[in-house]
């Protein structure tokens, strides 16, 4: 397991002084990036090989949002590789070792020249240590869209949405989707399914459904094809430890 210590910064909290969901996502993404960099298979290596890891899906569960100044331990590990898929877990713990948040994620290794998935490179298989999968209840990677969704005003992809792969970073889609949450809504679970990459110059056309126990946001292109679908469920004030292994 790879991990690093941190402290919740002012730039990472909301109006109530608690870390934001997108900041938790950023911690997880940074942790996996640090892990790969330290193993020599990070961004420079991927660029040389003309490949990139592209996120297929997130499931993030939050037991408690830590407050400004709290010290946390962020960890990650891969629990399996299959063909061009990579499977990775994440955790965030407080100083007492209690689980604040945890996640399951599925990644695809993409050939940047051909625009197609490619099998993992031998160097990657050699350096990553495979550890047991986190015991947690996992939902399907596919998010079923509600029948009735309200179309919202479209908006352009901006330069600050773009990452080193030259497309919209996975976390930015979640930030976009959060704009349509009801006032004072706090997420206890977030799922995101990524279907295709948006790039600078594209337009995002949001479709939103607000139900009693979930909010679903479909971020689509101008032809209605989904870039990403994000689902939020309430919670995050307190919660239980994960008890069931993913299937």
């Amino acid at each position: 397991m790879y991990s690093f210590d941190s402290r919740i910064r002012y730039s990472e909290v909301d109006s109530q002084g608690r870390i934001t969901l997108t900041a938790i996502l950023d911690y997880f993404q940074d942790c996996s990036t640090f892990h790969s960099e330290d193993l020599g298979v990070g961004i420079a290596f991927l660029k040389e090989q003309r490949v990139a890891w592209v996120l297929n899906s997130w499931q993030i569960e939050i037991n408690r949002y830590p407050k400004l100044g709290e010290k946390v331990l962020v960890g990650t590990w891969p629990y399996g590789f299959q063909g061009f898929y990579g499977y990775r877990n994440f955790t965030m713990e407080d100083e007492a070792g209690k689980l604040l948040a945890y996640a399951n994620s599925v990644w695809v290794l993409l050939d940047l020249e051909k625009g197609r998935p490619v099998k993992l490179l031998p160097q990657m298989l050699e350096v990553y240590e495979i550890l047991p999968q986190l015991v947690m209840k996992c939902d399907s990677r596919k998010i079923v869209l509600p029948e009735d969704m309200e179309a919202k005003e479209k908006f352009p992809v901006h330069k600050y949405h773009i990452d080193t792969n030259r497309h919209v970073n996975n976390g930015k889609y979640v930030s976009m989707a959060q704009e349509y949450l009801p006032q004072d809504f706090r997420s206890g679970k977030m799922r995101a399914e990524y279907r295709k990459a948006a790039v600078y110059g594209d337009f995002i056309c949001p479709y939103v459904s607000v139900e009693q126990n979930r909010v679903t946001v479909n971020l689509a292109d101008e032809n209605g094809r989904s870039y990403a679908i994000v689902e939020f469920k309430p919670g995050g004030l307190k919660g239980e430890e994960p008890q069931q292994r993913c299937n």
Side-chain angles (χ1 to χ4, degrees):
M1 174 177 171
Y2 179 89
S3 63
F4 72 95
D5 294 303
S6 191
R7 189 177 184 187
I8 306 305
R9 303 169 177 86
Y10 184 78
S11 59
E12 298 167 340
V13 300
D14 59 17
S15 60
Q16 297 179 353
R18 292 185 178 273
I19 192 172
T20 63
L21 171 61
T22 49
I24 292 175
L25 191 153
D26 287 342
Y27 267 115
F28 287 167
Q29 184 171 234
D30 288 342
C31 192
S32 62
T33 301
F34 293 157
H35 187 196
S36 296
E37 290 291 330
D38 287 1
L39 292 176
V41 289
I43 291 175
F45 170 82
L46 295 174
K47 185 176 181 180
E48 289 175 0
Q49 302 298 320
R50 295 179 173 82
V51 297
W53 283 112
V54 177
L55 193 61
N56 177 267
S57 66
W58 270 119
Q59 179 178 335
I60 299 179
E61 306 268 353
I62 300 168
N63 289 332
R64 182 176 70 84
Y65 286 83
K67 298 178 181 179
L68 171 67
E70 277 196 62
K71 294 180 180 179
V72 295
L73 176 68
V74 184
T76 187
W77 65 95
Y79 64 83
F81 295 111
Q82 184 176 7
F84 48 77
Y85 284 107
Y87 304 89
R88 183 179 280 273
N89 285 136
F90 297 85
T91 57
M92 176 182 284
E93 299 177 0
D94 64 14
E95 284 190 280
K98 291 184 178 180
L99 200 58
L100 296 167
Y102 53 97
N104 185 55
S105 62
V106 180
W107 303 74
V108 173
L109 189 64
L110 190 69
D111 185 315
L112 294 176
E113 292 184 345
K114 298 179 180 178
R116 298 198 303 243
V118 61
K119 288 185 177 180
L120 262 74
L121 305 177
Q123 299 97 313
M124 296 178 176
L125 296 173
E126 290 173 1
V127 298
Y128 285 117
E129 178 185 8
I130 303 300
L131 296 177
Q133 185 178 0
L134 179 68
V135 178
M136 64 178 285
K137 182 178 179 180
C138 283
D139 295 331
S140 170
R141 301 200 306 266
K142 299 292 183 181
I143 299 175
V144 178
L145 290 173
E147 292 185 3
D148 297 321
M149 302 192 76
E150 181 182 355
K152 301 291 186 179
E153 185 177 355
K154 70 178 182 180
F155 58 88
V157 171
H158 296 288
K159 292 179 180 178
Y160 62 82
H161 294 140
I162 304 301
D163 63 16
T164 57
N165 294 322
R166 298 183 182 277
H167 60 223
V168 175
N169 182 266
N170 69 83
K172 298 299 184 184
Y173 291 109
V174 178
S175 295
M176 294 172 186
Q178 284 187 294
E179 288 296 315
Y180 306 100
L181 292 176
Q183 187 71 23
D184 297 326
F185 184 98
R186 188 179 291 278
S187 299
K189 173 189 281 188
M190 186 280 294
R191 288 197 298 151
E193 178 191 349
Y194 300 94
R195 296 191 176 181
K196 70 171 188 170
V199 299
Y200 180 64
D202 285 338
F203 276 85
I204 305 291
C205 301
Y207 298 85
V208 181
S209 171
V210 179
E211 301 172 87
Q212 184 176 1
N213 65 341
R214 71 167 180 163
V215 177
T216 309
V217 182
N218 179 18
L219 300 169
D221 65 14
E222 293 181 279
N223 295 313
R225 294 173 296 189
S226 300
Y227 291 118
I229 301 169
V230 187
E231 177 191 82
F232 305 93
K233 291 188 176 181
L237 298 178
K238 61 180 181 179
E240 297 179 352
E241 299 286 322
Q243 295 295 328
Q244 181 177 336
R245 184 174 298 279
C246 295
N247 295 321

